[in-house]
Every structure is written in C-alpha cells, then in structure tokens.
Amino acid sequence: MPLNELPIEVEPLVGAMPAFCASIPAGELRGLAEQARARKAPLVALWGSDETERRAGYALHLALAFPSGLLWVSVPLSREDPHYPGIADIYASANRMQRATADLLGIFPSADADRRKWLRHGAWPEGAFPLRKSVDPAARFAQGPDLYPFVPVEGEGVHEIPVGPVHAGTIEPGHFRFSIVGEKILRLEERLGYTHKGIEKRFEQMTLEEGAKLAGRVSGDSTVAYAWAYAMAVEGATGTEPPPRALALRGILLELERIANHLGDLGYLGNDVALSFGFFQFWRVKEDLLRTHAQLFGHRYLMDAIVPGGVACDLSRAQADALLGRLDTILQEVATLRSIYDEHAGAQDRFIMTGQVTRELAERMGLTGLAARACGMARDLRVDYPIPPWQELDPRMITHPRGDVSARVALRFEEIFESVRLIRSLAQELPPGKLRVPVAAATAGARGLGWVEGWRGDVLIALETAGANRIHRLHPHDPSWQNWPLLEHAVHGNIVPDFPLINKSFNLSYSGADL
Amino acid sequence: MYQILKQIVKTGIVTEPAPLPDAALRALEQRLGEVILKHFGRALAIRHVDAGSCNGCELEIHAMNSPYCNLEGLGIKFVASPRHADMLLVTGPVSRNMETALKRTWEATPDPKLVVAIGDCGCTGGIFGESYASCGRVSNVIPVDVAVPGCPPTPVAILRGILTAITPGR
C-alpha cells in the first residue's frame, strides 16, 4: 500500500500505534529524507543493525512521524562497504545519531558528514564495533586514550570553562565546554556518552520477557514511559492485545510519572533562582506522591509495573479513592505554590527571557516533547495519535509561545493540572476485566514499535525479534537525543550562572541518550 | 512574602527520625577511629558521583534532600567538589567511559575518606552487569566501605548507609 503523505510503498505494522515499514536502497535515502522534511515529518530516531548472521550486510533505520503514523524506513547496506549518504544536513538531529551508529556498528555516513566519534571514548578502540554480532558480549577492550576534537573558539577576551563529567550538583555525568566573553556564553559544546553502559548489546542477550526490566532502566526517571513503549513493541511483534483495564492503568501510571517529575523540576527551578523555599515545598509534595505510589503500586517510581501483555499491579475502588484524594491535596498545594512563584519578582526576573529558543529554530533542529511545546510546537502523541486509553479522554495539549525558562515552568504547572484531570477520568471508570494476558510466541524477524509520550517527550522502542523469543535488535530512543543540541543554542548570550537554570528547565536525560 | 511565610507556618516541621545504622551493609571493616568519626558525625561533607547509573538512584538522593530527612540537621551536606568531601556517594554500574573520572575523583578526595556505593548496580553491577562498556560494581574500581542495595534504594535506606559508614566498630 502507498503511504498517504509520500509516494512510497509501505507495509502496515501490527501494533497499538499506527505504523508502517518500508525498505529503500541507500541511493534513495536523501530523496526520501528531503520529501519527509518538506512535509514537516519529524525524525524520531536513527539507528543501525547488523544483519550479517542473516546472510545480509548491515542496515540503517529511520523512524519518521507522519500524521497517518510512524514510518520505519530500513536501508540495507552491504557487508563489505556499509556506507550511506548522511542526512544531518536535512535533519540536524541526525548528526549525533549517525555518529553513535558509526561508533557502535561501523556504519558510516558519506565522507562529507561529521565523522567525529560520539559514544566511543576510551572504552573501545577505533575500528572495533561492539554492537556487531561478531563481537562476543563477554569481550573487553583495553582502555585507550580519549582524544576529542572540540571546536576551538578564538578571539580577544575569549576563554574556556570546561565543566564535568563530574558536576557540582547531584546530576548525571557529561562534559560541557563553555567559551565565554566576560560573563556571557559565546558557545557551548556538549560532550556526552559518559554513561554509555552497553544497553543495546545487553538487550540482545535477553528474552522478550527479560528485556522489560532493562527497558525500565534506560532512563530511570522515565521508567513508565519506557516500560510501556517496550510492552507496546513486544505486543505488536507478537500480536498480543493487552486488556482494556491494563491500558487504563498504564495511562494512570504514565500521568503519575509526569506529575512526579514536574514536581521535582519545579522544586529545582526554584532552587536554581535562590528560592530554596520552592525546593523544599515541591520536594515535600513530591515525596508525598512517591509514598502514595509505593503504597498503591509497590514502587516509588512505578518500576516494573507495566509488563508485556498488561500490568503487574491493580487499583481497587478504595485505592482509586485514596489516590484521587492525594491528588486533590497535591493540586491545592501546587495552586498555592504557583501563585507564590508567579508573584515572586526575583524568580520571575530570572525565568523570563532566559534560555530562549525560538519556534523557528526548534522546528529546524527537531526539538521535541515538553521543550518543543514550550516554544509553540503543537506535538503530543496523546493528542496526535489518540489510541486507547487517550481516545475518549480528549487530552488537552498545552503549549506556550515564548520558549524561555518561564515557558517551561508554566508548561509544567499546566501539565500537572491536566494530568490530574486525566487520572481522575481514568480512575473513576476503570474498565473491569483482566490485568494481563499471556504474550504470544514471537516468530523470528517479527517487528514491533512502541511509542509513548513520556514526561520529557516521545520515547520510542524499535524491536526486531530473533528465534526462541529472543531479541535480534532493540533500539530504545530518548527524546533527549533531539533536545540536547538545542541546549547549546538556548544558552547563547546568557550568563554562565544561568546555565544550571536553563539546563534544569530542559532536564534532559544523559543515560537515556548515552545507552 | 506573606504567602511564603503563611505556607511555611502551615507546613510546619515534617522531619522524621533518622534511621539507625546497620552493620550488615558494611563491605569493609571500619578503618577509622572513634575520634575521627565523632567529627564526621557532626559535619559530614558528601560528594555524589554518578558513575553510569540510569538516574533512578539520583532521584532518591534528591529525595533524601527533602525536608522529611533534614540532612543538615544531622550535620550532613553535599559539597560541590571532591576536594571538600569526606565521603563519596557513588551510583551506577561504573561505565568504562566514567572509570577514569571516578578514579580521579577518588584520588582528589582527601584522606581519611569513605565510599558508599548506592543501588543494586553499585553493589553488583545490577541488570547492566559487566561488559565492553561497563566495569560492573563500584568496588571493581575503587574501595567501597558500605554498599546499599535497592533499585533504587529509598532515601531512608541511603541515609542508613551513610550513617553506617560513620559509625564506629564493625
């Protein structure tokens, strides 16, 4: 069948989200990317795979979001010469994904592309590609030197501030190279990959059942979004249909995760403008919610609550009432705290017009999720592809035109209110029935996609099965891939002391994108 | 200002009692004498190092800074540099890309120093294990005094681990 938006033959893919697969030769890749770009289809992910055990070569994969669904494009590449024409000039966000694919699999974009390493530091040498099937999972490489060509900035009065990988606060490791003039940031260059711990290789040693736990630990703060995306991918690949009660509970869990993260971020955003009152208040409210999670679902962060085939928890009528009672209290507290934030001149002075990203830049760079909605881009999977349980709830998409820290603060407040509304609707009318159905057996080479609007943005899991219910290839994709490069732009012209504030207003995942 | 004061008064003091130390969490015997520990016990400076975690443990370290724990009331504070620290609180399986940074952070921490490994990954390598990219547990890279299991361990469990590390005896 042809895709609605492009003259290309596609195969529909079984699963909860509308999705299609297509295979094209490398020579057509740039043409397709240009047409997709012209239709404003966001690039959701780019990754590679090793098909040499299947008597083929390698493959490059892209996920592109069209209104009719997600298009999974595969580009077969030869075993001898796995090169393809790069697309980072068409989709800016492809740059780091292309480099990561080169580091892990030795699949290279054409010579004119940015060929600097990305995930490879000193843990494996140039010319070794750990995600290739020929590399034993037990293999170790000698720790080598790690030379990285940062872009030098020269000129009168310019100097550098190198920060990290170990930061001053309790955050994940990464390196930020600031070039500054006086107090102002002239340029920021990020170097990430420090938390690369071989997640994708690990998946390939696992069964579909075992993988659920790992998926929930790609980025701990988004464990629900990942677990759901993983379950959705497995259910698609095996033709399993989760029961309606499980879907409603998944919706509740996802919105609780959104609320918990937003509460924590709002606390830290207060802290970063010297309003420590805000930190202590929000983290008290967040702690109350986490304790409610533990009581009702057995885990403070809701880890392992979503499993392929359904959910591993339930919510009785009485428990639902307890949850809604807690959320009512939280809503009142958040409303009070919002009025305090809004009327606090010092905080607003730091928030407004700090770390601004224009909509034009955001669209060009492929910004996604919460940060994209905060500069006016209307993109939210729950609204754009209203599959169950969102179908009947009519989620309200919240956007803000300004794209600065204050917009990202305002969006978090508004999303908390909307998430509570969604949870209330879901919890009041939980469908009766089963919580979990057995997952059907997978045939080798079956594909599944999971795509979920997590609190940070859209999380994608692209799965291809091997024999005996095992994983041939699994790519977990965090929205942070797209959003990290925007942070480099958002800080331009801002003062160095505002960097922590701007960084926190995005609150991107290191682990999720380092894999 | 009135609203802020009103909210503070309305909230009151929510701090809960601190947990007791648990010798079962010890990975190494206590090396420090009672005199030193007495000083640590009233003024302990901690540097957190994420050596490759999924960020789940970081969430609970943040949560330990909530008013329910009142760390400063216990004489515990997080500091910005290992050079100011008495203790390293290390999360994650140690990624090979963080191995050097973790060793350097440990070397930059003045003696006498303590190391508390946090979470299942810090204790054993967890679900990530050892691989081309992961060194596994923290004690594979630097000496660990106390290891706190959990995925992630609760703030109370982390605090118990910290207090165990500064308690005299075995």
Side-chain angles (χ1 to χ4, degrees), chain A residues 102-440:
Chain A
D103 288 346
L104 295 173
L105 281 155
I107 297 174
F108 292 98
S110 32
D112 55 344
D114 186 347
R115 298 277 286 265
R116 289 177 300 161
K117 60 182 185 173
W118 182 247
L119 293 181
R120 184 173 70 79
H121 289 200
W124 66 96
E126 193 172 3
F129 305 109
L131 205 49
R132 286 192 174 178
K133 296 283 183 187
S134 57
V135 175
D136 188 324
R140 305 284 187 279
F141 304 96
Q143 186 81 261
D146 175 27
L147 303 170
Y148 186 78
F150 287 98
V151 176
V153 176
E154 290 170 351
E156 200 183 325
V158 179
H159 72 277
E160 275 189 352
I161 309 179
V163 179
V166 178
H167 293 295
T170 301
I171 56 172
E172 297 178 75
H175 183 87
F176 300 116
R177 187 68 60 100
F178 296 95
S179 298
I180 67 164
V181 174
E183 274 200 314
K184 282 202 174 156
I185 302 168
L186 200 59
R187 189 172 194 283
L188 162 64
E189 185 170 357
E190 297 158 356
R191 171 97 199 277
L192 305 176
Y194 287 92
T195 68
H196 177 73
K197 43 195 172 279
I199 288 177
E200 290 172 295
K201 189 83 174 173
R202 195 84 187 83
F203 270 117
E204 294 177 14
Q205 297 160 254
M206 290 181 153
T207 62
L208 292 175
E209 196 188 337
E210 290 163 346
K213 202 172 168 211
L214 182 58
R217 285 152 183 83
V218 172
S219 181
D221 57 19
S222 303
T223 180
V224 174
Y226 273 94
W228 191 350
Y230 182 84
M232 198 188 282
V234 171
E235 286 153 9
T238 56
T240 308
E241 209 161 300
R245 187 174 180 85
L247 289 176
L249 283 165
R250 286 177 181 182
I252 291 173
L253 297 169
L254 186 75
E255 296 312 307
L256 286 172
E257 178 169 83
R258 194 180 317 277
I259 295 171
N261 277 290
H262 285 359
L263 289 173
D265 284 349
L266 287 168
Y268 265 102
L269 285 159
N271 198 54
D272 285 348
V273 297
L275 185 60
S276 56
F277 160 85
F279 173 83
F280 288 112
Q281 288 289 334
F282 274 107
W283 278 78
R284 174 180 61 80
V285 176
K286 179 176 179 179
E287 180 65 23
D288 291 340
L289 181 61
L290 296 178
R291 290 177 181 193
T292 307
H293 289 174
Q295 270 168 16
L296 299 178
F297 304 106
H299 195 284
R300 285 162 58 85
Y301 296 93
L302 310 170
M303 279 178 167
D304 310 319
I306 295 179
V307 289
V311 290
C313 58
D314 196 8
L315 195 65
S316 68
R317 187 66 255 164
Q319 286 176 317
D321 289 342
L323 177 65
L324 296 179
R326 167 58 61 200
L327 290 175
D328 282 340
T329 313
I330 288 176
L331 268 196
Q332 285 169 20
E333 299 250 26
V334 171
T336 305
L337 294 172
R338 181 173 199 181
S339 75
I340 290 174
Y341 270 37
D342 283 350
E343 285 164 27
H344 195 282
Q348 292 303 321
D349 182 49
R350 294 282 304 278
F351 290 161
I352 294 172
M353 299 308 282
T354 303
Q356 196 182 29
V357 176
T358 64
R359 179 173 176 164
E360 187 274 327
L361 180 71
E363 283 181 348
R364 184 151 50 83
M365 301 283 291
L367 194 67
T368 188
L370 175 147
R373 291 194 290 278
C375 44
M377 289 170 70
R379 250 195 98 206
D380 185 327
L381 297 185
R382 296 169 301 166
V383 177
D384 299 337
Y385 308 93
I387 58 167
W390 314 119
Q391 228 162 22
E392 324 248 296
L393 300 175
D394 194 17
R396 183 166 76 91
M397 180 162 359
I398 292 142
T399 58
H400 195 288
R402 208 159 53 214
D404 56 0
V405 172
S406 82
R408 293 185 282 275
V409 169
L411 213 77
R412 284 176 166 95
F413 276 115
E414 292 289 326
E415 289 198 349
I416 289 175
F417 298 134
E418 177 63 4
S419 289
V420 172
R421 185 187 76 80
L422 294 172
I423 293 170
R424 200 175 277 145
S425 304
L426 286 165
Q428 275 165 354
E429 285 173 44
L430 268 181
K434 284 188 184 170
L435 294 167
R436 188 175 180 179
V437 294
V439 177

Side-chain angles (χ1 to χ4, degrees), chain B residues 100-124:
Chain B
T100 308
L102 176 62
K103 282 181 182 159
R104 284 193 190 161
T105 305
W106 186 78
E107 281 159 13
T109 310
D111 280 318
K113 58 191 160 200
L114 295 160
V115 176
V116 177
I118 297 297
D120 285 350
C121 299
C123 292
T124 67

Side-chain angles (χ1 to χ4, degrees), chain A residues 69-129:
Chain A
L70 191 66
L71 176 63
W72 178 347
V73 182
S74 300
V75 183
L77 304 171
S78 76
R79 184 193 293 247
E80 298 73 27
D81 183 30
H83 280 72
Y84 63 94
I87 58 163
D89 55 326
I90 304 168
Y91 281 105
S93 61
N95 174 294
R96 291 176 183 178
M97 303 182 217
Q98 289 182 173
R99 289 159 64 190
T101 307
D103 288 346
L104 295 173
L105 281 155
I107 297 174
F108 292 98
S110 32
D112 55 344
D114 186 347
R115 298 277 286 265
R116 289 177 300 161
K117 60 182 185 173
W118 182 247
L119 293 181
R120 184 173 70 79
H121 289 200
W124 66 96
E126 193 172 3
F129 305 109

